[in-house]
Amino acid sequence: MTDVVGRLMRGVFKLLLALALGVFVLSFLLAALVVVLGVSLWSVLTGRKPAPVVMFSRMREQSRRYTQSAQSVWPGRAPVGEVVDVDATVVGERDGAQTPLQRLR
């Protein structure tokens, strides 16, 4: 009899936890929606872009400047995406040099 009551109590407890989690998630989503709507309304009234949009656009611009300056450091380097032909050369072993496999033996 105690086993049935214990399983029933565990089931009720799990149900209450699931219900509490659902309420928490829904309230979090509702709060996020209210914040987004409030920021959007504020940006419409003031005529300015919201701060997160400005921050991400600044980060994107700095990233673009960095990649352009990094490419200008190596002016002789081929642009990304182009194929460069090179002559293949055979590398021979030096006299008395051991290969990594021979060193392990």
Side-chain angles (χ1 to χ4, degrees):
M1 185 68 174
T2 58
D3 186 39
V4 173
V5 173
R7 285 196 313 186
L8 182 65
M9 293 300 289
R10 278 193 299 269
V12 169
F13 185 67
K14 285 181 182 181
L15 184 64
L16 285 176
L17 283 178
L19 185 64
L21 178 66
V23 169
F24 174 74
V25 168
L26 286 177
S27 64
F28 185 76
L29 289 175
L30 181 64
L33 182 65
V34 167
V35 168
V36 167
L37 289 175
V39 168
S40 298
L41 181 65
W42 182 255
S43 66
V44 166
L45 292 176
T46 60
R48 297 181 184 176
K49 289 183 181 179
V53 174
V54 173
M55 180 183 68
F56 286 119
S57 63
R58 285 182 186 166
M59 288 173 51
R60 192 177 318 129
E61 183 61 34
Q62 287 176 352
S63 172
R64 193 174 299 132
R65 271 191 253 144
Y66 173 73
T67 55
Q68 288 173 354
S69 66
Q71 288 176 355
S72 67
V73 171
W74 297 291
R77 183 174 165 221
V80 176
E82 287 194 20
V83 177
V84 179
D85 276 338
V86 295
D87 292 329
T89 57
V90 177
V91 179
E93 292 184 16
R94 291 180 283 166
D95 293 331
Q98 293 180 339
T99 64
L101 186 59
Q102 290 172 340
R103 279 185 239 145
L104 290 176
R105 291 181 187 172

